[in-house]
Each structure stands twice: as structure tokens, then as C-alpha cells.
Amino acid sequence: MRNKTKYTLQRMRKSKVSYLFVAPYMILFTIFTVLPVVIAMFLSLTSFNVLQMPTFVGLENYGRLFLKDSVFMTGVKNTLILGVILGPGGYLLSLICAWFINELTPKIRSFVTLLFYAPSISGNAYLIWGILFSGDDYGYINGLLIRLGFINEPIQFLQNTDYIMPVVIIVSLWTSLGTGFLSMIAAFQGVDKTYFEAGAIDGIRNRWQELWYITIPMLKPQMIFSAVMSITSAFNVGAVITAICGYPTTDYVAHTIMNHLTDYGTTRFEMGYASAIAVVLFVLMISFNQFAKRFISSIGK
Amino acid sequence: MMIRKKPKKIYLNRSRGGNIVISIFLAAMGVFMALPLVYAVSNSIKPLSELWIYPPKFFVENPTLSNYRDLLSLMGDSWVPFSRYVSNTLTISVVGTAGHILISSLCAYALAKHDFPGRNIMFQVIVLSLMFSAVVITVPSYLIMSKLGLIDTHWSIILPAFCSSLGLYLMKQFMETSIPDALIESAHIDGANEFTIFWRIVMPLVKPAWLTLIIFSFQGLWGQGGTTYIQTESLKTLNYALSQIMAGGIARQGAAAAASVIMMIVPVLVFVITQSNVLETVATSGMKD
């Protein structure tokens, strides 16, 4: 044991240059990413309004969250619904699109890639959905439905509790083909073509079999990366809802944990309580991601 | 056993039905992805009379650039000179991106190619940080910023951009797969020191990766509203200024449509130029458990 410590210390002394290389990044990373998480965990155990020093209240914030705050529970429910639909949904969409795009010729392929990727990088272009779904005379979708004779009166897509969640899901899916999608496109292109020839000789008959027996096993690392990207963004949905449907949504029908966090953190300045919300969201994101990682790497084992 | 006479025939196991399904699916997806974007562009070149027509028309009938002219004149009228917002956004994007690439590459190189105590735990923490988004930690971040005296300075946006974990992750994965250990080894034998190796050998080899980091970092910083940490009007960003115009109500609807097209077109154009480099980089993004 002592020998091991001695040996590690020796190696550390030898690696001075390496530490010099990682130092600038790791220092900033600690200050702006690690430290905030630690502080959030600490603040979640206090009552804190920014003006006065935080006072320790133990688990009171968490008790209030889970036992008394019914709006929060709505938020948890909606976040989980969105997470379950948008996480795997956005992910499968990425996989299917990447797979199909890979069948195209190179020139068309780069055009379609650009078209599918564009919504996720075009800033707040999603606001256009607000106009498309608008319930007044200028809502294009309502105008179209009325002209085609499906409805007589405009549907209040952004206020009617039946429609808000579907609208949020559509808009979020629209922006869901991001970095993870690119990663899979690149991975598909990177698969060595000789594997397919070998597969064809070994009796692979169609592209489904090709995908299942050859491509997916080779793509696993990119699939895990892509899943992480898509789950993290699924749990992050909040600002989009406020931008399109307003805050709060009718009867909190699309209220997410993220909305709740923004509400307490930046409007009500109950920082202790907001930190408790942040910690719950943090734990949810990490555990869903870890689960997805395990699940995907266990496929076909 | 099959005898391969025409290798191409064997390789292409493609049914016509499958081709049709794929075409239909991609066409439907294409329409779904493109329509809002087309609508945004079409709206921006509609004259005011067409913007308020009922029932709403999807495509423009008498295209005009008047909305873009309105936007320009609105920019000229603003209280803080518009060039100020542009230069703020440029400063943040350029400094943030340059620092991010330098600092992340240094760290990525050591994590990918050096063996030192603590390297695994460092990388694991960074991977873990990919699994939650920065919005979750807004409250404590604000407290840290104010303790460091960074509130109301551009550094509050630039410094966190330096240590974005996605950029570091992509860079490290790319270096790991694309730089042979033997190359570094032989440079050592020739007497090069670590920094020379990094700067003269490694960095030129990972050009696709740092181009990708430029894109991602730029996309992030270009869209920065920065309203959380910056209160002084003359320090605010272009995105903030344009979103103020967009929120300006009915009278400015035309200019708002033009503003949203400008905000959206810049990152898309940047991606068009560098697409092949980005794809080459993200090909190595795979995650093991």
C-alpha cells in the first residue's frame, strides 16, 4: 500500500508537464461546472434569498417539494413524459434519418444532412411555430384546416390543454436532430464497405439485416453518445414552452421541472428552494443517461 | 458457397420497396424540417399588406426587401448604436472561441496521449458533465460570477465558453484515434519538447477537430442573449438587440421576420462551409461504457 502511494507520487512528479497542459481547462471547469453543482447541493439544504446569509434548514426544501408543492409534481410528471417521448423519440429519429440518408448519393446526402440539422442550429427560429400554430386569424395551420373544411373555428393550439403538449412535442422534435444526429451520420459513413460485401456473402439478404447484424454493433459508441445528447436536451425543455405557449401554460399542462426552476430561481428569488429543484433535475438527468448507456451497451451481448 | 461473378450485384441488397419507403419517409421529414424555415424566409420578404392578409398565405406573392430596409433603419434609430451590439457579439465569439480551442486542445492532448495519475477520473467527470445542461446550475453560477466580479462584463460569457465540455470531449476523442503514438514517440527521440510536439505536430493534424470546435463554439456564442449576467445596455449582444426588435409588437412585424432570418442564416452558412470537417470529427465521438 505504501509502495503504491510512493509509486503514484513518483509518477505525479514525472508528469509535471501533463498537469501543466490540463491545468487551465481543469481550473476553469472546476470553477464554472463542478463548483456550481456542489454549491447547488449545499444551498438546497438552506433557505436563501440572496440578500441575507443562507440559513440551514435540513431537508425541509425537499419535503416541501415532494409533499406540498403540487405544481412541482405536475412538473415532474411532464418532464418524465417529455423525457420518455423526446429522449428515445428524438434518438430513434436521429438513427432512422442517419440510416436512410446514408443510402443517398453523396451530393444529395450533404444537402439533406444540412436541411435536417439546420433547425437545431438556427437559434430561436422555433418561434415561427408560434405563428404557424397561432389561434388568431394569422395562424397558418388553422387557416389551412378551415380552408380544407376540417374545422369551422380556429383551434386554440397554444391555450387549449388538449393541444399544448402535442405542440411542444412537435416543436421539440423539430429541433432534436443536433450533434447526436451528426455523430450518427458520420458513423454510418465511416463503416467499412467491405463488411457489407462480406455480409452479403455470408447470407445477409436485405438492409434491415445489414443494419441489425453489421452496422448497429459497429455504431454502438456513437449511439451511446447520441443517446446522451438527446436525453440531456429532452430534460432541458422549458424555455421553448414559455416562448411559444407563455408562462405558465394553461392549468400547468406543459409545466416542466425546468420551468419550475426558472420560476423560483429568477422570479421569486427563493434560491434554496430553486437549488433543491436543480438537484432533483440534475439527479434525473444523470440517472436516465447512465441507464441509457448501460441499456445500449447491453444490446446484443 | 456462393461464387462472386458480379461483385456489385451481391453487395447491393436493395429492394425496390425499401427504396420507396425510404424516399417517402425522407420526403415527409424534409417537408416537416423545411416548412417552418421556408415560412420564415417567405414571411421576411412579404410586404406588410401580405403579412396581415386573411386567410394567411404561405408563399409570398410580391416579394420585397422593404422589411430588411426597415430593420436597417430601426437599427440606425436605436439608442445604443447598432454597431456596438455587433462588435460585442464579435468580441465574445472571437475571444471565447479562440480561448476555448487553445485551452481545450491542450487539455485534450494530455488526456488523450499522456499517462498520468488522475487522468481517468478527470475524463470521467467531464463525460458526466455532458449529461446535464448548464441551465440547471444557473443560480450557483450567478453567485460565483458575482463573487468573482464578472457580472456585467463580457468575461461572464467568455470564461464558461472556454471550458465547454462538448468541445473538449470531441477534441480528445479525435486526437485519440487520429494521432499515432509512434509519431509522438519519434518526435521525442528527435528531441522535441512536449509543447513543440503539441503545437507543431498535433495541432496541424487535428485541423478538422478544431474547425468543428470553432463551429460549435461560434453557434453557441452567436446565439447568446447574455441577459442573465449583463445589465448595461451598451454591453449587450446582437441576439439581444434583434430579439428586442422581434418582441416589438405589430408595427415591427416585418422587421422582426427579417431579424429572425438573419439570426438563423449565419450559423447555417457557417455549417455549410465546414460540413465535411465537422462530420470527420464527430465520427470519432463514440462513447464507451
Side-chain angles (χ1 to χ4, degrees):
Chain A
M1 196 57 203
R2 268 192 68 197
N3 266 340
K4 209 183 160 194
T5 325
K6 222 173 156 188
Y7 173 67
T8 312
L9 278 174
Q10 216 169 27
R11 273 176 63 215
M12 284 174 80
R13 237 171 277 136
K14 266 195 204 159
S15 330
K16 263 184 223 142
V17 188
S18 307
Y19 290 117
L20 210 64
F21 271 61
V22 296
Y25 184 91
M26 290 316 288
I27 291 172
L28 288 173
F29 182 77
T30 308
I31 297 177
F32 294 113
T33 308
V34 180
L35 199 57
V37 173
V38 177
I39 294 181
M41 286 175 178
F42 165 74
L43 282 182
S44 74
L45 303 174
T46 67
S47 165
F48 181 40
N49 61 4
V50 193
L51 300 172
Q52 289 150 315
M53 285 299 279
T55 47
F56 188 76
V57 294
L59 292 173
E60 198 188 292
N61 286 328
Y62 291 98
R64 191 176 139 203
L65 262 185
F66 286 105
L67 301 175
K68 292 183 193 149
D69 193 341
S70 65
V71 176
F72 175 71
M73 292 321 281
T74 316
V76 172
K77 191 192 82 195
N78 287 330
T79 303
L80 289 179
I81 293 176
L82 286 175
V84 167
I85 295 178
L86 294 176
Y91 176 63
L92 281 179
L93 205 61
S94 296
L95 179 66
I96 292 172
C97 288
W99 178 37
F100 283 0
I101 285 175
N102 194 47
E103 304 270 311
L104 302 170
T105 55
K107 272 200 181 136
I108 306 176
R109 187 164 64 205
S110 31
F111 174 74
V112 179
T113 305
L114 171 69
L115 179 64
F116 285 16
Y117 181 57
S120 72
I121 51 169
S122 51
N124 43 19
Y126 60 77
L127 290 176
I128 211 78
W129 285 99
I131 304 179
L132 288 174
F133 277 117
S134 169
D136 60 26
D137 289 350
Y138 307 105
Y140 185 78
I141 292 175
N142 270 318
L144 188 73
L145 289 175
I146 291 174
R147 212 176 321 155
L148 293 176
F150 286 115
I151 51 173
N152 294 321
E153 276 177 19
I155 300 170
Q156 300 300 316
F157 286 111
L158 309 177
Q159 282 82 36
N160 187 326
T161 49
D162 292 339
Y163 293 101
I164 293 179
M165 271 304 246
V167 166
V168 168
I169 290 169
I170 288 175
V171 176
S172 308
L173 278 179
W174 186 65
T175 57
S176 68
L177 296 180
T179 317
F181 165 68
L182 280 190
S183 167
M184 289 218 256
I185 292 254
F188 268 105
Q189 283 178 34
V191 177
D192 194 340
K193 299 285 179 286
T194 49
Y195 285 104
F196 297 137
E197 290 179 33
I201 297 169
D202 287 344
I204 281 193
R205 269 176 286 109
N206 54 42
R207 45 193 144 203
W208 295 98
Q209 288 184 348
E210 205 173 271
L211 179 76
W212 190 250
Y213 292 112
I214 303 178
T215 322
I216 287 191
M218 296 185 68
L219 245 56
K220 231 175 225 179
Q222 279 89 353
M223 287 174 62
I224 296 179
F225 174 72
S226 184
V228 168
M229 292 288 118
S230 107
I231 290 172
T232 307
S233 66
F235 279 95
N236 205 14
V237 175
V240 178
I241 304 174
T242 305
I244 293 181
C245 305
Y247 183 84
T249 45
T250 317
D251 292 341
Y252 292 105
V253 69
H255 190 75
T256 62
I257 303 183
M258 197 51 111
N259 290 138
H260 212 58
L261 174 60
T262 318
D263 190 5
Y264 280 90
T266 59
T267 318
R268 305 188 197 209
F269 285 105
E270 289 189 39
M271 297 307 191
Y273 196 59
S275 297
I277 301 172
V279 170
V280 172
L281 188 53
F282 175 81
V283 169
L284 271 179
M285 281 178 169
I286 301 264
S287 34
F288 267 75
N289 269 310
Q290 295 290 10
F291 170 77
K293 241 173 101 176
R294 295 265 159 74
F295 178 72
I296 294 172
S297 52
S298 73
I299 293 176
K301 259 186 193 164
Chain B
M1 204 185 132
M2 274 166 77
I3 299 164
R4 283 176 64 188
K5 279 180 190 162
K6 295 177 190 166
K8 272 186 179 169
K9 271 261 160 84
I10 295 173
Y11 164 49
L12 290 169
N13 289 311
R14 296 295 180 261
S15 66
R16 186 184 288 173
N19 281 338
I20 293 172
V21 170
I22 288 175
S23 309
I24 293 175
F25 178 85
L26 284 181
M29 268 304 285
V31 169
F32 173 61
M33 299 311 265
L35 274 188
L37 298 176
V38 174
Y39 189 65
V41 175
S42 150
N43 252 0
S44 78
I45 50 175
K46 278 179 189 166
L48 269 185
S49 56
E50 267 185 62
L51 270 177
W52 298 112
I53 205 166
Y54 183 84
K57 291 250 163 56
F58 194 87
F59 290 108
V60 56
E61 272 161 13
N62 304 303
T64 160
L65 287 178
S66 69
N67 290 327
Y68 289 89
R69 273 197 295 274
D70 286 354
L71 181 64
L72 273 180
S73 70
L74 269 176
M75 288 173 174
D77 288 346
S78 74
W79 173 52
V80 170
F82 216 78
S83 56
R84 191 74 222 190
Y85 295 121
V86 176
S87 77
N88 285 341
T89 289
L90 279 180
T91 314
I92 291 171
S93 304
V94 170
V95 178
T97 304
H100 170 54
I101 289 170
L102 185 66
I103 289 174
S104 303
S105 306
L106 275 170
C107 181
Y109 172 59
L111 288 178
K113 293 296 172 185
H114 292 174
D115 183 22
F116 57 93
R119 143 182 136 144
N120 287 337
I121 183 86
M122 285 182 196
F123 188 61
Q124 272 161 19
V125 173
I126 290 163
V127 169
L128 205 62
S129 79
L130 287 175
M131 298 186 178
F132 66 91
S133 59
V135 200
V136 178
I137 48 174
T138 313
V139 172
S141 296
Y142 190 89
L143 299 175
I144 290 174
M145 294 284 178
S146 66
K147 272 274 176 291
L148 294 175
L150 297 176
I151 296 292
D152 224 15
T153 67
H154 286 155
W155 292 109
S156 62
I157 300 175
I158 294 172
L159 284 180
F162 280 179
C163 57
S164 134
S165 40
L166 181 63
L168 177 104
Y169 177 80
L170 292 173
M171 186 55 103
K172 188 243 175 197
Q173 299 296 84
F174 192 78
M175 283 179 170
E176 210 155 63
T177 41
S178 69
I179 297 172
D181 288 334
L183 186 69
I184 299 172
E185 203 71 8
S186 64
H188 268 302
I189 294 166
D190 290 345
N193 68 32
E194 280 297 338
F195 193 79
T196 318
I197 295 176
F198 167 75
W199 193 249
R200 305 283 289 277
I201 298 173
V202 174
M203 283 311 266
L205 279 176
V206 296
K207 191 175 157 223
W210 50 257
L211 277 172
T212 307
L213 261 61
I214 291 179
I215 314 298
F216 286 174
S217 177
F218 175 78
Q219 280 165 7
L221 290 169
W222 168 256
Q224 273 287 341
T227 42
T228 326
Y229 302 127
I230 295 177
Q231 286 103 32
T232 309
E233 191 65 28
S234 62
L235 287 175
K236 286 186 173 169
T237 60
L238 182 65
N239 185 23
Y240 165 82
L242 289 178
S243 59
Q244 286 308 99
I245 290 178
M246 282 190 239
I250 293 169
R252 291 176 172 182
Q253 207 66 39
S260 69
V261 169
I262 289 178
M263 280 316 285
M264 138 188 136
I265 222 142
V266 172
V268 173
L269 277 184
V270 173
F271 177 71
V272 171
I273 301 166
T274 51
Q275 189 178 20
S276 61
N277 287 298
V278 175
L279 285 178
E280 197 180 329
T281 306
V282 292
T284 63
S285 64
M287 208 177 257
K288 291 172 203 105
D289 54 336

Coordinates of all heavy atoms in Angstrom, one line a residue, chain A residues 8 17 19 32 39 79 122 125 135 141-142 175 177 184 190 219 255 264:
Chain A
T8 N 2.8 6.2 -7.0 CA 1.9 7.2 -7.6 C 2.5 8.6 -7.5 O 2.6 9.4 -8.5 CB 0.6 7.2 -6.9 OG1 0.1 5.9 -6.8 CG2 -0.5 8.0 -7.7
V17 N 4.6 18.1 -16.7 CA 4.2 18.8 -18.0 C 2.7 18.5 -18.3 O 1.9 19.4 -18.7 CB 5.0 18.3 -19.2 CG1 4.7 19.1 -20.4 CG2 6.5 18.4 -18.8
Y19 N 0.3 17.9 -16.2 CA -0.6 18.7 -15.3 C -0.6 20.2 -15.8 O -1.6 20.8 -15.7 CB -0.1 18.7 -13.9 CG -0.3 17.3 -13.2 CD1 0.7 16.5 -12.8 CD2 -1.7 16.8 -13.1 CE1 0.5 15.2 -12.3 CE2 -1.9 15.6 -12.6 CZ -0.8 14.8 -12.2 OH -1.1 13.5 -11.7
F32 N -16.5 26.8 -13.0 CA -17.8 27.1 -13.7 C -18.7 25.9 -13.8 O -19.8 26.0 -14.2 CB -17.5 27.7 -15.0 CG -16.9 29.1 -14.9 CD1 -15.6 29.3 -15.3 CD2 -17.6 30.1 -14.3 CE1 -15.0 30.6 -15.2 CE2 -17.0 31.4 -14.2 CZ -15.7 31.6 -14.6
I39 N -22.2 23.8 -4.9 CA -22.9 24.9 -4.2 C -24.4 24.6 -4.3 O -25.1 24.8 -3.3 CB -22.6 26.2 -4.9 CG1 -21.1 26.5 -4.7 CG2 -23.5 27.3 -4.3 CD1 -20.7 27.9 -5.2
T79 N -42.1 16.5 -17.2 CA -40.7 16.3 -17.6 C -40.5 14.8 -17.9 O -39.8 14.5 -18.9 CB -39.8 16.7 -16.4 OG1 -40.1 18.1 -16.1 CG2 -38.3 16.6 -16.9
S122 N -30.5 26.9 -35.8 CA -30.9 28.2 -36.2 C -31.5 29.1 -35.1 O -32.5 29.7 -35.2 CB -31.9 28.1 -37.4 OG -32.9 27.2 -37.0
A125 N -35.3 30.1 -34.2 CA -36.2 30.0 -35.3 C -37.5 29.2 -35.0 O -38.5 29.3 -35.7 CB -35.5 29.3 -36.5
G135 N -53.6 30.9 -32.7 CA -55.1 30.6 -32.7 C -55.9 31.8 -33.3 O -57.1 31.7 -33.5
I141 N -51.8 27.2 -39.7 CA -52.3 25.8 -39.7 C -53.8 25.8 -39.5 O -54.6 25.1 -40.2 CB -51.6 25.0 -38.5 CG1 -50.2 24.8 -38.9 CG2 -52.4 23.7 -38.3 CD1 -49.3 24.1 -37.9
N142 N -54.3 26.8 -38.7 CA -55.8 26.9 -38.6 C -56.4 27.3 -39.9 O -57.4 26.8 -40.3 CB -56.1 28.0 -37.5 CG -56.2 27.3 -36.1 OD1 -56.8 26.3 -36.0 ND2 -55.7 28.0 -35.1
T175 N -36.4 20.4 -33.4 CA -35.1 20.9 -33.1 C -34.2 19.7 -32.6 O -33.1 20.0 -32.1 CB -35.0 22.0 -32.1 OG1 -35.7 21.5 -30.9 CG2 -35.8 23.2 -32.5
L177 N -32.7 17.1 -34.1 CA -31.6 16.4 -34.8 C -30.4 17.3 -34.7 O -30.0 18.0 -35.6 CB -32.1 16.3 -36.3 CG -33.2 15.3 -36.5 CD1 -33.6 15.2 -38.0 CD2 -32.9 13.9 -35.9
M184 N -24.1 10.3 -35.7 CA -24.5 9.0 -36.4 C -24.3 9.0 -37.9 O -24.0 8.0 -38.5 CB -26.0 8.7 -36.0 CG -26.0 8.3 -34.5 SD -27.2 7.1 -34.2 CE -28.5 8.0 -33.5
G190 N -18.6 6.1 -41.9 CA -17.3 5.5 -41.6 C -17.3 4.0 -41.6 O -16.2 3.4 -41.5
L219 N -21.7 0.6 -34.5 CA -22.0 2.0 -34.3 C -22.2 2.3 -32.8 O -22.5 3.4 -32.4 CB -23.4 2.4 -35.0 CG -23.3 3.4 -36.1 CD1 -22.3 2.9 -37.1 CD2 -24.6 3.5 -36.7
H255 N -46.2 22.3 -17.8 CA -45.2 22.8 -16.9 C -44.1 21.8 -16.6 O -44.4 20.6 -16.3 CB -45.9 23.1 -15.6 CG -45.1 23.9 -14.6 ND1 -44.8 25.2 -14.7 CD2 -44.5 23.5 -13.4 CE1 -44.1 25.6 -13.7 NE2 -43.9 24.6 -12.9
Y264 N -38.7 29.8 -9.6 CA -38.2 30.1 -8.3 C -36.8 30.8 -8.3 O -36.5 31.5 -7.4 CB -38.2 28.8 -7.5 CG -39.6 28.5 -6.9 CD1 -40.5 27.7 -7.7 CD2 -40.0 29.0 -5.7 CE1 -41.7 27.4 -7.2 CE2 -41.3 28.8 -5.2 CZ -42.1 28.0 -6.0 OH -43.4 27.7 -5.5

